[in-house]
Amino acid sequence: MPPEPPPAALRLGIDTEALRANWLALDRLSGSAATAAAVKADAYGVGVLQAVPVLRDAGCHDFLVAHWSEVASLVEIVDPESISVLHGPMNFGDAAFARATGVRPVINSVAQARLWQESGGGVCDVMVDTGINRLGLPLADLADEAIGALEINVLMSHLASADEDVALNALQRERWTQARRQLKHRRGSLANSAGIALGDAYHGDLTRPGLSLYGGIPRRELEGIIRQVARPQAAIMQVRTIAAGDGVGYNSTFVASGEMRVGTIAMGYADGYLRCWSDRGAMMAAGKCLPVVGRVSMDMTVIDLSHAPELVEGDWVEAEYSLPDAAAASGLSQYELLTILGTRFSR
Ligand SMILES: *Cc1c(COP(=O)(O)O)cnc(C)c1O
């Protein structure tokens, strides 16, 4: 056995207090509806092992993942009956896995409904497509007998544009309400993070935030309520002083106009700190802003330490990574900025 590796020179700081506060705030905004947590994609990159115990202890009883492969780490932490798998069963292997683990499949089509029933049936959830045209039961199939035969816990639908004020929101709500009248179910669910901010009429019995749990702010109403959770941090590996005319990094996109002190940190685009931050991102340490200079490399980024003479090799810095600001600066979505953070971060 090789020895345990030493601690990584980059870590994703998880503000568990902010995560807890975000879930509680979304739960409060959800009114009388219960509040689930979307924890797919390793809790949006934050880390299931770190995030889910916090959400569970805050009072969350419903967890959503996309893939069957995401169930294993989750059943170690929460009751299988609290887990829904959004992609649903594609074959008997999936259905058998659902039964063996006790998690609920989300049924997205008549074919999935038949498969689930033929493999033994049992309580499931149903996703009705009310206008996103992505994954879910078409409205025209609501009356199918295979759907009518299902034992449905959560009858859900998903909003396409909850982060915008468009007519589609009310139309989808109306169609979802119709579907709720048509199919027997225990709980109705429509709202994602942004949908929660659309108000009571969108809440049903269960809301399903993801992004905002982890610090994303998809609508103005959530500003000042939702706090940053994920904080990419890296150690300074090397410090040097460069002279006027010296270039930094690949293709010398930054050229020093005078003598300056720069530091190289152990974080690059392979970690999800993308090339879009070249010459425009910044790190923070001791209350100071340390601009990125030159191109972000695969495993390294160089920052300006001119105004932070106290920082030396081995010290840590933190990326400016408030999701709304980072999205505005980079052109990436808040979702991408989170889920792209790589596996080399210790979490
Ligand atoms: C990802 C997902 C959510 C969470 O959406 P956010 O916009 O991240 O809040 C809710 N419901 C379904 C079906 C999802 O796929």
Side-chain angles (χ1 to χ4, degrees):
M1 283 286 280
E4 275 289 300
L10 92 161
R11 65 185 176 220
L12 191 63
I14 313 289
D15 186 339
T16 53
E17 194 38 55
L19 175 61
R20 178 183 155 79
N22 288 345
W23 185 83
L24 289 171
L26 292 161
D27 189 44
R28 203 160 48 243
L29 289 171
S30 297
S32 59
T35 304
V39 297
K40 60 201 182 194
D42 201 22
Y44 288 44
V46 164
V48 156
L49 295 179
Q50 289 69 28
V52 171
V54 175
L55 297 166
R56 176 199 63 200
D57 295 346
C60 184
H61 296 299
D62 295 272
F63 299 89
L64 302 140
V65 291
H67 285 261
W68 295 100
S69 62
E70 298 180 295
V71 168
S73 54
L74 209 47
V75 290
E76 300 285 321
I77 311 172
V78 297
D79 185 352
E81 286 172 26
S82 66
I83 302 170
S84 300
V85 181
L86 290 161
H87 286 187
M90 295 296 294
N91 50 56
F92 281 106
D94 293 346
F97 182 79
R99 190 150 293 105
T101 51
V103 306
R104 280 199 311 283
V106 177
I107 301 299
N108 294 288
S109 65
V110 168
Q112 285 195 345
R114 289 200 185 116
L115 180 68
W116 181 240
Q117 296 294 46
E118 283 164 21
S119 71
V123 180
C124 62
D125 297 337
V126 168
M127 170 66 77
V128 178
D129 195 314
T130 54
I132 194 168
N133 289 309
R134 193 178 63 171
L135 181 67
L137 188 73
L139 294 173
D141 291 346
L142 275 175
D144 193 286
E145 61 184 293
I147 301 298
L150 293 173
E151 204 180 321
I152 305 171
N153 182 336
V154 183
L155 180 61
M156 65 180 93
S157 189
H158 193 58
L159 297 165
S161 309
D163 56 340
E164 297 179 286
D165 291 311
V166 292
L168 182 59
N169 290 331
L171 181 61
Q172 286 196 269
R173 187 189 66 199
E174 187 47 41
R175 289 170 173 165
W176 166 74
T177 304
Q178 285 292 345
R180 293 194 66 182
R181 290 198 190 105
Q182 218 170 320
L183 290 180
K184 195 161 174 295
H185 60 285
R186 198 151 79 75
R187 299 180 292 171
S189 176
L190 178 63
N192 60 350
S193 300
I196 291 172
L198 293 177
D200 279 359
Y202 289 80
H203 295 166
D205 304 308
L206 181 72
T207 61
R208 308 188 309 270
L211 182 71
S212 293
L213 295 173
Y214 314 111
I217 303 183
R219 289 185 65 95
R220 302 285 299 264
E221 294 88 336
L222 298 173
E223 279 174 14
I225 296 174
I226 295 302
R227 291 158 54 183
Q228 185 175 350
V229 170
R231 300 176 173 275
Q233 299 160 352
I236 299 173
M237 298 188 292
Q238 190 171 44
V239 174
R240 58 165 37 75
T241 300
I242 59 175
D246 284 348
V248 173
Y250 285 119
N251 310 107
S252 300
T253 59
F254 177 87
V255 177
S257 55
E259 188 179 282
M260 66 186 288
R261 200 165 163 266
V262 297
T264 303
I265 62 171
M267 175 168 74
Y269 61 76
D271 304 302
Y273 194 70
L274 298 183
R275 287 238 306 197
C276 62
W277 299 114
S278 300
D279 288 305
R280 69 185 304 181
M283 300 293 139
M284 298 173 297
K288 291 175 181 166
C289 176
L290 315 165
V292 170
V293 290
R295 288 232 159 110
V296 173
S297 301
M298 188 183 292
D299 318 304
M300 291 178 264
T301 298
V302 180
I303 56 176
D304 183 354
L305 294 179
S306 301
H307 301 294
E310 71 280 17
L311 290 180
V312 296
E313 291 168 2
D315 283 344
W316 286 74
V317 298
E318 178 174 310
E320 275 188 350
Y321 217 73
S322 140
L323 293 175
D325 296 345
S330 65
L332 297 169
S333 75
Q334 297 181 54
Y335 297 85
E336 291 168 289
L337 287 164
L338 271 180
T339 55
I340 199 154
L341 296 173
T343 54
R344 293 195 299 195
F345 284 98
S346 65
R347 285 173 167 82

